[in-house]
Amino acid sequence: MSEEERQHTERQRKRDTLRERGLDPYGGRFDGVRAISDVRAQAADLQLEPGTRSDRRLRVAGRIVLLRLMGKLAFLTVRDGTGDLQFGCSKADLGEQWDLLALLDLGDLIGADGVLGRTKTGELTLWADRLTVLAKALRPPPEKWHGLIDVDLRYRRRYVDLFANPEVREVFRRRSGIIQALRECLLGHGYCEVETPVLQPIYGGAAARPFTTHHNTLDIDLFLRISPELYLKRLLVGGMERVFEISRNFRNEGISTRHNPEFTMIELYEAYADYQVMMERVEQLFAAAYAVSAGHMVPARLAALEHEVARLEAKDAPDEAQQSALARSRRQLALYQQAAAGIDRGRLTTVFGEHVLDFTPPWRRARYGELLQEHAGVAMGDSAAVRARAVSLGLETNGKDDAVVINEVFESTVEPRLIQPIFVYDYPAAICPLTRRHPQDERLALRFEAFAATMELGNAYTELNDPAVQEANLRRQVAGEGDETMAVMDEDFVLALEYGMPPAGGLGVGVDRLVMLLTDSASIRDVILFPLQRPRSS
RNA sequence: GGGGGUGUAGCUCAGUCGGCAGAGCAACGGCCUUUUAAGCCGUAGGUCCCGGGUUCGAGUCCCGGCACCCUCGCCA
């Protein structure tokens, strides 16, 4: 029998013993549970002296993460969704329940009733006089100091990752807060939240390979949406003048630290606006999201890093690993100090990787062509120079449209240098089939992309509402070759435009990447609860 | 798809030149009424990712494969 099986069997034995004693090892309804964060807040007001107990009874529940059993006294550290709290259990207080402790293990979910106090070292403690087993854990939790580190296992058993690594749970709590803030921001501007089809007979609104599926009753193939764009614009035709959708999109493409096959966009359309208005919306959305995430994360991480650096500095004879850990923590600390200083000056600063980013509006706005001139040294209109530059960069240019080559040069020369938040606007028209042309220069489209830390965060247009131009663009795209094309003609979409779509601004923001930026997460997998992975065969 | 890295006990990790498979945590037995990753004594636990090869002998070297991570490519 393997060690794993032995521990499993041992815990099953304890579960059975609980049953023999008339206790349900899986608990039941447990009323009046107080959140540990609330208990801690209340304790601050209570002014408990070390070594004393209050007379206020309360009930707390959570998972045992540490267990210190000594003769006739035990301390358990219990974790709920809001924090950790020490339970103190003495043989005198528990009476006949004392024997129950022998049947408890790390990882079990338990509840306790008792009074709040402080030990003589000052640790806040719930002195329990009654314990309730709420769920016997048959599998042991990961190592208590390091937590779960193995990246593969963390994603495959995210439930373990979440309870073993509180900072992971914190990221997802912040993700929830960010989405709520985005929603409230738009509702506050008079937007209506809608839901449009995920299963689409024709896919469009972006250039990507779709996932396909099949509906049995209708006997038709369907596509999981790569974008909600064409449906949301139909709503503009219908008179819904400000709409948004928090849209899970599916793209059958590669997986990387910035790409997951299913990802979340917030996409919005506003009648009578244009892409300049959308820039302001991006700034507003980021400010709202910042307030509930990075605005809290920066001071919290700063405090944690100060503590960590102090701990490492206190070591008398640090080994090599400790020295490099100290150096790493100091670099991090310097970044967070810089971000915190920005916050003190009223700015929306945060740390992402090696950078301190400043999201304070207004963000820099720069023309696509100017940036191309600045970083690639070529003029957008000089296609010979652009192609020469592309060749010198090692890019393949044969058979590609000028606009595609321009964009590839842009992506390899300009995008890697876009660290601070920026709006890049007026894109080459040929790669923007859904965008209105620039009134002064038909080679340009009224489109911008927002970047920060070299990541594309959002994409917006002054929307094209001329059905004849739209149809011509789509036909040209369908006929075209290469990467920047949309392969499918949507005739109903053109029909909708023929009924009259108001001039509008439209915007899509990648929610996952936004969460990455505002929680200092290096991989998109760190902000998606269950990222796609190859299934385990065994 | 290319390049680099990782894979050893349930978890976190050592394993030197090719020579008996190791530690901490977790587990089990014992001691312990103020611990903070509790401590102390003792016990048990291995498909060294998988498959070949070289060798008297392979966790270690070679070849092939698998999984994951990073990176490039791809990717609005």
Side-chain angles (χ1 to χ4, degrees):
Chain A
M1 194 189 300
S2 73
E3 181 60 26
E4 185 176 19
E5 287 163 338
R6 274 184 41 183
Q7 294 201 30
H8 191 229
T9 306
E10 178 65 23
R11 284 170 179 248
Q12 285 174 316
R13 190 186 63 73
K14 291 177 179 173
R15 175 201 60 193
D16 295 341
T17 306
L18 287 170
R19 286 214 170 98
E20 285 161 15
R21 296 191 188 176
L23 299 171
D24 186 341
Y26 295 104
R29 177 168 169 170
F30 200 59
D31 288 326
V33 173
R34 299 281 308 277
I36 285 173
S37 59
D38 290 348
V39 172
R40 288 197 173 280
Q42 185 195 34
D45 302 336
L46 228 51
Q47 295 188 333
L48 281 166
E49 294 302 317
T52 65
R53 302 182 183 196
S54 75
D55 51 6
R56 290 278 293 280
R57 292 192 60 76
L58 68 154
R59 165 175 277 191
V60 173
R63 192 181 293 276
I64 302 174
V65 294
L66 294 172
L67 183 54
R68 297 177 289 279
L69 223 165
M70 48 195 115
K72 302 186 184 69
L73 181 68
F75 292 105
L76 326 188
T77 302
V78 170
R79 174 173 299 164
D80 75 0
T82 67
D84 293 356
L85 182 66
Q86 174 166 278
F87 288 4
C89 304
S90 73
K91 188 170 185 179
D93 290 340
L94 281 178
E96 62 185 13
Q97 266 207 323
W98 174 252
D99 291 343
L100 186 56
L101 282 172
L103 300 174
L104 294 182
D105 288 299
L106 293 178
D108 290 351
L109 295 169
I110 63 164
D113 295 282
V115 297
L116 213 53
R118 287 192 187 278
T119 62
K120 57 189 184 191
T121 56
E123 179 76 20
L124 187 67
T125 300
L126 177 68
W127 289 102
D129 48 52
R130 181 174 174 74
L131 296 175
T132 306
V133 178
L134 296 170
K136 181 70 195 166
L138 300 180
R139 302 286 179 185
E143 206 262 354
K144 61 191 179 188
W145 182 242
H146 299 91
L148 186 61
I149 290 182
D150 184 278
V151 180
D152 188 36
L153 260 189
R154 281 185 47 217
Y155 299 146
R156 289 186 194 283
R157 300 188 189 162
R158 182 68 97 176
Y159 40 90
V160 177
D161 189 30
L162 286 165
F163 74 69
N165 302 325
E167 67 281 5
V168 173
R169 217 174 40 211
E170 193 60 25
V171 167
F172 289 103
R173 236 172 45 82
R174 295 211 157 106
R175 179 180 175 122
S176 169
I178 285 170
I179 288 171
Q180 187 186 340
L182 297 176
R183 182 176 270 130
E184 285 170 357
C185 176
L186 292 175
L187 293 174
H189 282 96
Y191 277 76
C192 177
E193 182 169 9
V194 299
E195 293 166 281
T196 65
V198 173
L199 292 174
Q200 302 180 349
I202 298 172
Y203 63 93
R209 280 150 58 197
F211 289 92
T212 61
T213 186
H214 188 82
H215 187 268
N216 291 338
T217 304
L218 297 180
D219 191 25
I220 52 169
D221 287 331
L222 292 168
F223 304 98
L224 275 64
R225 69 176 163 203
I226 59 174
S227 158
E229 174 154 355
L230 303 186
Y231 284 93
L232 291 171
K233 284 183 176 173
R234 285 174 169 94
L235 300 180
L236 286 178
V237 173
M240 302 184 77
E241 290 161 343
R242 294 188 178 200
V243 292
F244 75 96
E245 179 164 14
I246 296 171
S247 168
R248 189 78 65 88
N249 297 339
F250 305 84
R251 296 185 183 176
N252 205 338
E253 308 277 2
I255 297 174
S256 77
T257 49
R258 295 178 177 191
H259 300 85
N260 194 63
E262 55 181 295
F263 65 100
T264 304
M265 298 260 300
I266 186 162
E267 191 145 330
L268 50 119
Y269 290 86
E270 181 170 333
Y272 315 121
D274 66 0
Y275 72 156
Q276 301 286 348
V277 174
M278 292 299 108
M279 291 185 197
E280 292 170 31
R281 293 282 177 257
V282 171
E283 289 166 346
Q284 290 159 348
L285 288 167
F286 266 79
Y290 179 96
V292 297
S293 55
H296 299 297
M297 178 198 72
V298 169
R301 288 260 180 109
L302 179 63
L305 282 163
E306 281 170 345
H307 186 263
E308 176 69 4
V309 166
R311 190 181 71 81
L312 289 168
E313 281 174 343
K315 299 219 180 283
D316 288 338
D319 60 30
E320 204 169 306
Q322 288 168 338
Q323 283 175 19
S324 71
L326 178 58
R328 196 166 51 245
S329 293
R330 278 179 173 154
R331 276 199 305 277
Q332 281 266 299
L333 178 61
L335 290 169
Y336 274 91
Q337 282 169 334
Q338 198 183 328
I343 292 173
D344 288 343
R345 293 195 308 274
R347 303 197 65 86
L348 308 183
T349 44
T350 189
V351 176
F352 181 71
E354 297 299 307
H355 301 292
V356 175
L357 302 177
D358 187 344
F359 289 100
T360 314
W363 300 1
R364 184 183 169 200
R365 288 151 165 78
R367 285 196 175 79
Y368 186 98
E370 287 170 4
L371 290 170
L372 194 71
Q373 183 71 56
E374 179 184 339
H375 295 291
V378 293
M380 214 168 136
D382 186 349
S383 72
V386 171
R387 282 182 181 275
R389 189 79 183 88
V391 169
S392 77
L393 289 164
L395 299 169
E396 179 59 55
T397 59
N398 287 337
K400 288 182 180 168
D401 188 86
D402 277 354
V404 173
V405 175
I406 290 171
N407 204 44
E408 288 182 1
V409 171
F410 184 89
E411 285 174 0
S412 60
T413 58
V414 181
E415 287 188 9
R417 302 162 108 140
L418 301 178
I419 305 300
Q420 291 302 321
I422 184 173
F423 297 115
V424 180
Y425 67 98
D426 291 356
Y427 271 65
I431 59 170
C432 309
L434 302 167
T435 314
R436 182 184 287 238
R437 274 29 185 168
H438 197 292
Q440 270 88 54
D441 185 348
E442 65 175 12
R443 294 168 301 174
L444 298 179
L446 299 176
R447 167 186 181 177
F448 74 78
E449 290 195 356
F451 288 88
T454 78
M455 270 198 296
E456 184 201 329
L457 302 178
N459 184 19
Y461 314 143
T462 295
E463 300 297 341
L464 175 57
N465 65 339
D466 179 332
V469 176
Q470 182 65 85
E471 180 170 14
N473 285 354
L474 288 178
R475 293 213 179 282
R476 195 177 311 121
Q477 292 278 317
V478 170
E481 296 287 327
D483 301 329
E484 296 279 334
T485 63
M486 298 184 200
V488 182
M489 180 70 206
D490 189 336
E491 287 173 354
D492 181 74
F493 173 62
V494 175
L495 180 64
L497 294 192
E498 290 184 340
Y499 278 93
M501 186 183 95
L507 165 68
V509 172
V511 171
D512 310 285
R513 289 178 178 180
L514 184 155
V515 175
M516 286 172 67
L517 278 174
L518 296 180
T519 59
D520 193 12
S521 298
S523 169
I524 199 168
R525 289 185 285 271
D526 293 330
V527 301
I528 292 175
L529 280 167
F530 299 100
L532 185 65
Q533 281 196 296
R534 186 179 296 278
R536 275 274 183 218
S537 50
S538 57

